[in-house]
Amino acid sequence: MTAETQLPQATGSCCSPSGSCHGDAATDAAQAGGVTTVYQVTGMTCGHCEGAVSQEVSAIEGVTSVKAVASTGLVTVVSATPLDDEAVRAAVDEAGYELTGRA
């Protein structure tokens, strides 16, 4: 009597649900139940600007990820709870840029 046994298939994967092997921190956090808010910031022109804004905004309590894009002026912030816009404005000002509002 021969019985073929199938091995269980692996249930975990290094790839994200979208099929990418590298997840996007903002997307991953949003899927985990975070609050995503997009802000418009003026004055960013390069990667250094993006890093400066990201560093300052990341320091706000409850922020789990920040993605700043100089070419669009958009800063996507994922946080555990809704953020106070004035706290975000102060962080962006500290970085040397201007928050013009939510996008």
Side-chain angles (χ1 to χ4, degrees):
M1 179 166 141
T2 61
E4 282 190 35
T5 321
Q6 284 190 330
L7 295 175
Q9 293 199 357
T11 57
S13 172
C14 70
C15 294
S16 71
S18 67
S20 167
C21 288
H22 302 286
D24 177 86
T27 302
D28 293 346
Q31 290 173 347
V35 177
T36 301
T37 309
V38 181
Y39 296 95
Q40 185 71 48
V41 174
T42 60
M44 294 189 301
T45 59
C46 64
H48 173 76
C49 301
E50 295 169 346
V53 169
S54 294
Q55 181 177 9
E56 290 296 332
V57 174
S58 291
I60 299 171
E61 186 175 334
V63 170
T64 56
S65 73
V66 179
K67 181 176 182 181
V69 180
S71 62
T72 61
L74 298 179
V75 178
T76 303
V77 181
V78 180
S79 56
T81 59
L83 296 175
D84 175 29
D85 287 349
E86 289 309 310
V88 178
R89 182 178 310 282
V92 170
D93 287 347
E94 183 66 27
Y97 304 93
E98 182 182 355
L99 176 75
T100 58
R102 292 186 182 212

